[in-house]
């Protein structure tokens, strides 16, 4: 185990020699300094110091991407050199400690005075190390079993309005959505345990209609209750969902933290729907933060079952290429030793018209395709909205243009006319 190493790739921007910066990075995140100090023997450095594995210089920038007061005080000028830096970290420095892993591969690196940009681009862990962490309890296959969807994408939606509905109002909406034929319903990230619809009331009310629907039809609709809270409260909320026959809970990953999600995962066997709200603060700048590949690696070590990736042609800032790459990251096992794939959740501005691009890019049904307005705002009602998405999915899989498919699919035709061009 001591010989195994965690490997990370960074993108850096600096007016300093990249090789010198790489050594600073390795020292900062292992021994704690760029130069040898008292007690730092050759044997200790050999065993514990991070190692610079490779440096690949890229085209320079014409100006610094981020401000740097230290460099400004020194009067340092460009060129602003960019490079990929590969660093490996001894597993023994970290142990099976997810917060410390995150602190090691990120941590103070973003504050280094030598850089005007730094981004964690990728993160890879050895199989024996991955085995010490949580696995998905439900994952892709378990989500399909719970919902009874053996083929095709899982069609889901979000409770709208996000907030303001009482527990009874929410249950009534869920009943309509179940009748409309959805596979999956989730709370919004801003609605967890509000005074007007506390989980203690909302979970029993919602699950009563979910159970009634299942008794009538044999269909279990998975509801992801947002239980984001402090750790003990999340455990209580998960227990309530399980007692009421629920199958899924949702948590806002960034605000609950790695420790909170690990504790929740170890406490419950329910599907854990990981919502990434706030990820844009970590990722939108190309020379700062963390890529989705590295980000989702950390959360998959915490044992989530679903990961949000946003949606193609959606309402948020990510280019489609980033959404596609994120979904592929979810489909890629972290190591060759186990199937720990998670189900990507596509959302944000999704409707029947965004289905062809999704199918063409992903080529897989193993995803949650979630539409809020695309279902709830369909001019002929929620059932027609769900049907329009299923019709679009069938057409895309068959290689049929939506306009052609719509000639014999009135729900799809109405969606195309109402929401816009496909």
């Amino acid at each position: 185990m001591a010989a195994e190493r965690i490997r990370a790739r960074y993108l850096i921007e600096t007016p300093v020699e990249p090789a010198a910066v790489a050594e600073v990075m390795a020292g900062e995140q292992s021994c704690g300094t760029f130069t040898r100090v008292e007690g730092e023997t050759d044997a200790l450095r050999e065993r514990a110091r991070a190692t610079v594995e490779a440096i690949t210089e890229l085209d320079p920038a014409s100006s610094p991407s981020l401000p740097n007061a230290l460099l400004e005080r020194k009067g340092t000028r460009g060129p602003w050199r960019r490079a990929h830096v590969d660093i490996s970290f001894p597993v023994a420095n970290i142990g099976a400690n997810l917060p410390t892993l995150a602190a090691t591969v990120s941590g103070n690196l973003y504050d280094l005075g030598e850089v005007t940009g730094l981004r964690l681009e990728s993160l890879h862990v050895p199989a024996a190390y991955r085995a010490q962490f949580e696995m998905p309890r439900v994952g892709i296959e378990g989500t399909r079993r719970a919902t009874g969807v053996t083929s095709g994408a899982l069609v889901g939606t979000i409770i709208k309005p996000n907030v303001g509905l009482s527990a009874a109002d929410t249950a009534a909406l869920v009943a309509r959505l179940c009748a409309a034929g959805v596979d999956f319903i989730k709370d919004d990230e801003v609605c967890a345990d509000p005074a007007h619809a506390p989980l203690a009331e909302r979970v029993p009310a919602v699950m009563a209609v979910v159970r009634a629907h299942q008794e009538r039809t044999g269909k279990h609709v998975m509801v992801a209750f947002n239980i984001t809270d402090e750790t003990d409260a999340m455990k209580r909320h998960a227990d309530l969902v399980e007692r009421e026959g629920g199958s899924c809970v949702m948590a806002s990953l960034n605000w609950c933290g790695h420790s909170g999600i690990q504790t929740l995962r170890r406490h419950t066997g329910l599907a854990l729907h990981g919502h990434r709200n706030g990820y844009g603060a970590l990722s939108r700048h190309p020379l700062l933060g963390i890529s989705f590949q590295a980000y989702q690696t950390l959360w998959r070590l915490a044992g989530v079952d679903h990961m949000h990736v946003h949606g193609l042609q959606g309402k948020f800032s990510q280019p489609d290429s980033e959404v596609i790459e994120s979904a592929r990251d979810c489909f890629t096992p972290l190591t060759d030793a186990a199937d720990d794939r998670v189900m990507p959740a596509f959302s944000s501005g999704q409707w029947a018209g965004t289905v062809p691009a999704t199918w063409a890019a992903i080529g897989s049904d193993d995803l949650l395709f979630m539409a809020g307005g695309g279902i709830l705002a369909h001019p002929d009602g929620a059932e027609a909205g769900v049907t329009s998405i299923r019709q679009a999915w069938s057409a895309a899989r068959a290689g049929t243009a939506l306009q052609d498919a719509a000639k014999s699919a009135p729900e799809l035709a109405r969606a195309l006319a109402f929401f816009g061009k496909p």
Side-chain angles (χ1 to χ4, degrees):
M1 179 66 71
E4 292 187 325
R5 302 183 76 85
I6 293 155
R7 301 181 183 277
R9 167 167 286 188
Y10 301 90
L11 172 63
I12 66 168
E13 180 184 277
T14 177
V16 183
E17 169 63 44
V21 176
E23 290 298 333
V24 171
M25 294 167 63
E28 178 71 29
Q29 298 307 106
S30 57
C31 298
T33 182
F34 65 94
T35 189
R36 191 184 296 261
V37 298
E38 184 179 353
E40 189 176 345
T41 65
D42 289 341
L44 185 149
R45 288 173 70 91
E46 177 68 22
R47 171 174 56 82
R49 197 176 194 276
T51 300
V52 177
E53 302 287 352
I55 300 169
T56 305
E57 192 145 3
L58 308 171
D59 292 336
S62 58
S63 60
S65 295
L66 299 171
N68 185 313
L70 176 63
L71 294 175
E72 291 168 6
R73 287 197 304 271
K74 291 182 174 181
T76 304
R77 298 290 182 265
W80 311 100
R81 299 167 70 176
R82 291 181 177 176
H84 280 136
V85 173
D86 295 342
I87 298 177
S88 69
F89 303 88
V91 164
N93 283 5
I94 302 165
N97 185 324
L98 185 54
T100 299
L101 172 61
T104 298
V105 298
S106 295
N108 280 337
L109 288 174
Y110 300 114
D111 298 309
L112 291 180
E114 291 82 3
V115 301
T116 54
L118 188 146
R119 182 179 175 92
L120 175 59
E121 293 279 79
S122 65
L123 177 63
H124 299 280
V125 298
Y129 186 68
R130 197 271 173 269
Q132 297 181 72
F133 291 90
E134 308 306 312
M135 298 290 286
R137 295 281 187 90
V138 178
I140 294 171
E141 294 306 317
T143 300
R144 286 197 176 278
R145 284 194 301 271
T147 56
V149 181
T150 58
S151 62
L154 280 76
V155 177
T157 192
I158 307 97
I159 297 292
K160 303 288 184 180
N162 296 344
V163 294
L165 297 177
S166 68
D169 291 338
T170 304
L173 176 57
V174 168
R176 293 196 297 274
L177 291 171
C178 288
V182 297
D183 303 310
F184 183 91
I185 303 169
K186 64 174 283 294
D187 284 332
D188 193 79
E189 70 273 12
V190 299
C191 182
D193 197 26
H196 55 267
L199 284 164
E201 298 176 7
R202 194 165 86 247
V203 172
V206 167
M207 287 310 304
V209 302
V210 171
R211 291 193 304 270
H213 178 76
Q214 187 168 356
E215 289 169 4
R216 286 193 306 271
T217 67
K219 166 72 174 178
H220 173 76
V221 176
M222 180 175 278
V223 179
F225 292 96
N226 183 6
I227 63 169
T228 300
D229 209 321
E230 54 88 13
T231 306
D232 288 340
M234 288 198 294
K235 291 161 67 176
R236 292 195 304 271
H237 298 327
D239 290 345
L240 173 60
V241 172
E242 192 164 7
R243 286 197 304 271
E244 291 290 335
S247 55
C248 186
V249 291
M250 183 182 101
S252 293
L253 301 176
N254 295 315
W255 317 125
C256 293
H258 296 106
S259 298
I261 298 301
Q262 278 188 302
T263 298
L264 179 61
R265 171 74 295 161
R266 291 168 182 172
H267 181 78
T268 183
L270 299 172
L272 182 47
H273 188 82
H275 201 297
R276 74 181 200 181
N277 60 89
Y279 172 65
L282 307 175
S283 66
R284 282 191 69 176
H285 197 291
L287 263 295
L288 182 65
I290 181 170
S291 75
F292 189 79
Q293 190 282 332
Y295 176 83
Q296 59 91 39
T297 295
L298 294 171
W299 290 114
R300 284 168 65 182
L301 293 177
V304 299
D305 296 290
H306 309 152
M307 281 290 296
H308 275 238
V309 299
H310 285 334
L312 296 179
Q313 302 175 4
K315 65 182 182 181
F316 289 135
S317 63
Q318 284 79 9
D320 282 357
S321 59
E322 183 178 321
V323 177
I324 295 166
E325 186 176 0
S326 297
R328 290 174 178 165
D329 287 333
C330 293
F331 290 141
T332 304
L334 296 185
T335 72
D336 294 333
D339 182 3
D340 60 355
R341 296 171 303 144
V342 295
M343 181 168 273
F346 286 73
S347 65
S348 82
Q350 301 302 284
W351 63 289
T354 62
V355 166
T358 306
W359 171 256
I362 306 302
S364 173
D365 292 327
D366 288 336
L367 55 90
L368 287 166
F369 188 87
M370 297 190 295
I375 288 175
L376 292 163
H378 191 285
D380 295 330
E383 183 174 359
V386 173
T387 300
S388 71
I389 291 172
R390 296 198 193 283
Q391 291 167 340
W393 204 264
S394 295
R397 293 182 93 260
T400 303
L402 292 193
Q403 291 289 1
D404 292 335
K407 294 174 183 177
S408 57
E411 296 86 357
L412 176 58
R414 286 278 279 168
L416 297 178
F418 183 77
F419 292 115
K421 295 181 179 179

